Amino acid sequence: MGTAERFAGPARRELFVYEVYLGERLRHLVSPLEPDDVAEHGLSAEAVVGLLAVGVDGPGAMQPDHFEENPTFVRFLHEMIADDIFVVPGLREQAVLVGGHGWVDVLDARTADPAGEVPEHDVIGSVEVRDGELVPMSYRPNEHHRLLTEDGFFQLPEELEMSLLKRLHAT
């Protein structure tokens, strides 16, 4: 594994850029796993959030149009959310407010005004509500959610962030 460069992500998570050779090409992979963990256990496909475009030298140049999301990580993220959605008290509280039948959106915490107009790329997914409760197995990912926007990298509710990091360490 090549070098790693740390940069600030959400308050609860640091992200690292790893320089690695994929075939004969030097690439910059973005991951929340710390260099010590990666040095000891390697970097699984699920732990790579995405990669920087060829020629982008690191976090200072990281812009949405220079970043390619890793579909394996995106699948992993949504599977984790579907499994652990019930650990988020705020979503259960929203379900009670919905009351009868409807849907609650899982919002990216980077969104500026969650009570206002939320950009489509900041809706991570939705979960069905029946009789004021979240419905098991009803989580649906939003294909328009983006891991990196002009407002920064995705930010999960704290409970889901902890689940993500725990699962990534287990991979």
Side-chain angles (χ1 to χ4, degrees), residues 74 78-79 82 123-126 138-145:
V74 172
H78 287 296
E79 287 170 5
V123 177
I124 299 170
S126 302
S138 68
Y139 173 77
R140 300 292 176 255
N142 172 19
E143 65 185 37
H144 301 288
H145 178 253

Side-chain angles (χ1 to χ4, degrees), residues 7 16 29-30 35 42 62 83 118 123-124 137 146 159 167:
F7 66 100
F16 300 87
L29 307 180
V30 178
M62 197 172 306
D83 290 345
V118 176
V123 177
I124 299 170
M137 308 280 290
R146 291 293 157 255
E159 300 84 1
R167 286 182 185 220

Side-chain angles (χ1 to χ4, degrees), residues 48-51 67-71 74 145-148:
V48 176
V49 174
L51 52 110
F67 178 77
E68 181 182 333
E69 294 181 359
N70 175 11
V74 172
H145 178 253
R146 291 293 157 255
L147 299 178
L148 177 63

Side-chain angles (χ1 to χ4, degrees), residues 28 37 47 58 93 118 134 161:
H28 294 91
D37 292 331
E93 291 166 7
V118 176
L134 300 175
E161 181 70 26

Side-chain angles (χ1 to χ4, degrees), residues 9-13 15 32 49 73-74 76-82 84-85 87-88 91 106-111 122-125 139 145-147 152-168:
R12 297 179 303 274
R13 177 188 345 115
L15 295 170
V49 174
F73 175 83
V74 172
F76 182 84
L77 174 69
H78 287 296
E79 287 170 5
M80 180 277 302
I81 292 171
D84 295 348
I85 197 91
V87 303
V88 183
L91 292 174
V106 181
L107 300 182
D108 198 306
R110 72 178 167 218
T111 195
D122 278 353
V123 177
I124 299 170
Y139 173 77
H145 178 253
R146 291 293 157 255
L147 299 178
F153 271 96
F154 71 103
Q155 296 180 37
L156 300 173
E158 185 174 355
E159 300 84 1
L160 291 177
E161 181 70 26
M162 299 309 291
S163 291
L164 175 64
L165 293 175
K166 182 178 177 182
R167 286 182 185 220
L168 286 176

Side-chain angles (χ1 to χ4, degrees), residues 1-78:
M1 188 74 38
T3 61
E5 186 174 346
R6 177 186 307 242
F7 66 100
R12 297 179 303 274
R13 177 188 345 115
E14 288 184 300
L15 295 170
F16 300 87
V17 176
Y18 294 94
E19 287 185 348
V20 299
Y21 278 93
L22 298 176
E24 294 186 14
R25 295 180 97 179
L26 178 66
R27 300 307 302 258
H28 294 91
L29 307 180
V30 178
S31 175
L33 293 184
E34 297 195 16
D36 290 344
D37 292 331
V38 171
E40 186 174 339
H41 303 289
L43 193 58
S44 69
E46 292 85 0
V48 176
V49 174
L51 52 110
L52 299 177
V54 174
V56 176
D57 291 328
M62 197 172 306
Q63 298 297 319
D65 58 342
H66 296 146
F67 178 77
E68 181 182 333
E69 294 181 359
N70 175 11
T72 302
F73 175 83
V74 172
R75 255 188 321 279
F76 182 84
L77 174 69
H78 287 296

